[in-house]
Amino acid sequence: MVQRKSKINLKPGKSREALSITHPNAAGIDIGSASHYVSVPPDRDDEPVREFPSFTVDLEALADWLKACDVDTVAMESTGVYWIPLFELLESRGFTVLLVNARHVKNVSGRKSDVLDCQWLQQLMTYGLLRGAFRPADAVCPLRALWRQRGMLLKGQARQVQHMQKALTQMNIQLTNVISDVVGETGQKILRAIVAGERDAQVLAAMKNVRIRASVDEIAKSLQGNWRVEHLFALRQALDMFDFIGTQLAECDREIELQLQGLQACDGEPAKGKKRGRARNAPKFDLRAQLFRMCGVDLTRIDGIDVTTALAVVSETGTDMSRFATVGHFTSWLGLCPGTKITGGKVMSGKTKRVANRAAQALRLAAAALRSSQSALGAYFRRMCGRMDKPKAVTAAAHKLARLIYTMLTKGEEYTDQGQDYYEERYRQRVLHHLSQRAEKLGMKLVENEQAA
């Protein structure tokens, strides 16, 4: 019996090439908390695999050894933040450093030790089979760290507000039932007076702002409690911690302003746009003008994007979008583009991949705020909500916001909203066009109803 050899027909322009060496001077490093295992090409040293402790003097010795071995490209695999000191040191010494995804190399059998891990990284990097994770420009990294620190402080301040509410509830002070925000002007006056020793409910209720809908009597009734000492102590400490974090936030805002001033790429002021209320947790300085001088465009002209969302995205990505070849690469890095799970030519799933991306989280929050916007983006979001469930609609709208930001930063063009009516008319024209094409295929003709018109 003669067996026929099956032929594999490759697509035109596609050819299967053998692996070639693209980085002959590559090294691999497996990062650990206490020590790092480093592998260089076998012909560069009699001991091509070495272990270096994580102390700074040993990291300097590691970099010197790589220089002596004529290494110019380094691939490292790590978890947590153990890689940051070595990454920054090697980058400052002129090496091309790539932090690779552990998922790309973990499914290889036979690697049972750290020594083999670093050797495998070195081999894969030599043949150009690894890609580094995105890291913004070194000048943007301080801004990113400061903005993340500010977010952590805001979370800590929110926890202290919860402690205040808990202490009030334990004393049966029902202030939160008549005032929506205990850290507003009225709430803060009343809480600080309570901590100072005031117990008269009428005196405390008289501190209310004129915009509070509840009457003085209702507020006074809510301020009748048991005033237990231990709960008053907890309330006092929560207020002190709230104030302390507030001073730290002010210091953080000053540092962010200094970093933004150092990243200015143009002069001028942004054009007047829609009048919007200042975001509650936004920095006190003119963040919109600083962002305009940094980016060259006003990202807040996009509906749903306020100054905090714009800074959250820019601090994570920077303003140089050349690291992303296309807008599709940018939205894929954000985890907002549709998935491509295809088997046998059939699309099995279009679900987006799960990524922990702070910029994507900010864009999703901005997209959710479009539900009541009378803009083209608001109309798009509401139409998506009609077609799919809410989380998918939020992701679709966030994907569109990301594409707009990428276009503005790459082309330097301002965004102009055409309005909800313009979007609805464009959508109507597209529907009519598809209906007329389908009718034509069926041998029919679509005729407009003059009476309805």
Side-chain angles (χ1 to χ4, degrees):
M1 182 177 180
V2 180
Q3 294 182 350
R4 295 183 179 181
K5 294 183 179 180
S6 59
K7 295 182 179 180
I8 301 176
N9 296 323
L10 299 176
K11 294 182 179 179
K14 299 274 186 177
S15 60
R16 191 181 298 273
E17 298 179 357
L19 291 177
S20 59
I21 295 177
T22 57
H23 300 289
N25 302 319
I29 304 178
D30 187 69
I31 303 293
S33 60
S35 63
H36 311 317
Y37 287 89
V38 188
S39 173
V40 297
D43 59 342
R44 305 298 171 87
D45 193 89
D46 294 336
E47 189 181 354
V49 178
R50 294 188 182 184
E51 180 185 6
F52 292 87
S54 58
F55 300 112
T56 302
V57 63
D58 297 296
L59 298 186
E60 294 284 354
L62 188 157
D64 294 337
W65 183 58
L66 292 179
K67 280 289 186 183
C69 295
D70 295 327
V71 170
D72 54 18
T73 305
V74 179
M76 59 175 59
E77 178 186 356
S78 174
T79 57
V81 295
Y82 303 119
W83 59 274
I84 295 179
L86 182 58
F87 185 99
E88 294 175 345
L89 173 63
L90 293 178
E91 199 172 43
S92 65
R93 297 283 291 268
F95 293 94
T96 301
V97 191
L98 285 80
L99 177 67
V100 301
N101 193 334
R103 291 181 297 180
H104 297 167
V105 294
K106 72 175 184 179
N107 292 325
V108 180
S109 60
R111 297 187 296 118
K112 300 298 183 184
S113 68
D114 292 332
V115 176
L116 294 177
D117 275 340
C118 64
Q119 289 177 320
W120 183 245
L121 287 172
Q122 189 271 329
Q123 292 179 22
L124 293 178
M125 193 67 232
T126 300
Y127 290 102
L129 298 177
L130 297 178
R131 299 179 63 182
F134 174 79
R135 179 178 168 90
D138 191 63
V140 182
C141 287
L143 179 63
R144 181 180 67 170
L146 288 171
W147 189 250
R148 290 181 178 181
Q149 172 72 10
R150 191 178 190 276
M152 185 189 67
L153 291 175
L154 286 174
K155 290 180 180 179
Q157 203 172 43
R159 282 194 294 269
Q160 299 309 315
V161 175
Q162 293 175 340
H163 295 330
M164 296 179 204
Q165 294 171 339
K166 179 182 178 181
L168 291 174
T169 302
Q170 288 176 323
M171 292 185 293
N172 201 33
I173 303 298
Q174 302 295 330
L175 185 62
T176 55
N177 291 334
V178 294
I179 296 179
S180 60
D181 188 8
V182 295
V183 293
E185 179 184 352
T186 300
Q188 285 294 288
K189 285 183 178 179
I190 293 176
L191 291 183
R192 295 180 190 282
I194 291 174
V195 170
E198 183 61 57
R199 299 292 180 267
D200 192 334
Q202 292 295 331
V203 174
L204 294 172
M207 298 178 182
K208 85 178 193 73
N209 190 282
V210 294
R211 293 178 294 179
I212 299 295
R213 294 183 180 181
S215 65
V216 175
D217 293 335
E218 289 176 337
I219 297 177
K221 186 177 179 181
S222 70
L223 291 171
Q224 296 176 3
N226 51 36
W227 307 115
R228 289 181 64 91
V229 177
E230 66 271 24
H231 303 321
L232 287 170
F233 178 77
L235 178 62
R236 182 184 300 108
Q237 287 208 322
L239 272 172
D240 292 342
M241 185 60 71
F242 181 86
D243 294 338
F244 174 70
I245 296 178
T247 59
Q248 289 189 317
L249 277 171
E251 294 177 5
C252 191
D253 289 345
R254 287 192 291 270
E255 290 294 324
I256 290 174
E257 186 177 11
L258 291 175
Q259 290 295 328
L260 287 171
Q261 290 173 357
L263 293 172
Q264 291 183 4
C266 63
D267 298 325
E269 296 289 334
K272 291 184 178 181
K274 295 181 181 179
K275 188 176 180 180
R276 301 179 183 177
R278 191 181 69 85
R280 176 173 180 175
N281 292 323
K284 298 298 188 292
F285 61 90
D286 191 358
L287 180 55
R288 181 168 174 258
Q290 296 284 0
L291 283 172
F292 176 79
R293 299 189 189 104
M294 177 184 175
C295 302
V297 290
D298 186 9
L299 297 179
T300 61
R301 293 178 65 91
I302 305 175
D303 290 275
I305 303 291
D306 59 6
V307 288
T308 57
T309 303
L311 183 54
V313 175
V314 172
S315 65
E316 293 291 330
T317 64
T319 58
D320 184 14
M321 294 285 110
S322 61
R323 293 281 300 277
F324 305 100
T326 63
V327 65
H329 289 77
F330 178 59
T331 56
S332 176
W333 174 75
L334 290 170
L336 296 175
C337 67
T340 55
K341 186 177 180 181
I342 303 175
T343 301
K346 181 180 179 182
V347 178
M348 305 300 294
S349 174
K351 185 178 180 181
T352 56
K353 62 181 180 181
R354 295 183 62 183
V355 295
N357 193 300
R358 290 176 173 86
Q361 293 173 2
L363 289 175
R364 282 192 169 94
L365 290 175
L370 293 171
R371 63 185 182 276
S372 59
S373 175
Q374 301 300 313
S375 61
L377 289 171
Y380 171 80
F381 175 65
R382 288 187 289 274
R383 186 168 70 85
M384 291 294 103
C385 288
R387 290 178 51 188
M388 58 189 70
D389 57 4
K390 186 70 172 292
K392 292 181 180 179
V394 169
T395 300
H399 179 257
K400 185 172 283 292
L401 292 177
R403 296 178 70 91
L404 290 173
I405 291 175
Y406 180 90
T407 303
M408 291 178 67
L409 292 177
T410 52
K411 296 185 178 180
E413 299 177 356
E414 293 287 356
Y415 172 75
T416 303
D417 179 38
Q418 301 292 340
Q420 178 180 352
D421 296 337
Y422 173 80
Y423 175 82
E424 295 293 351
E425 180 61 26
R426 285 283 303 273
Y427 176 66
R428 178 177 177 275
Q429 294 298 329
R430 287 198 301 270
V431 172
L432 290 175
H433 176 70
H434 293 310
L435 287 176
S436 62
Q437 283 187 333
R438 187 164 185 177
E440 185 177 353
K441 289 180 180 179
L442 296 175
M444 303 178 183
K445 185 178 181 181
L446 194 66
V447 180
E448 185 176 359
N449 190 349
E450 298 180 357
Q451 295 180 354

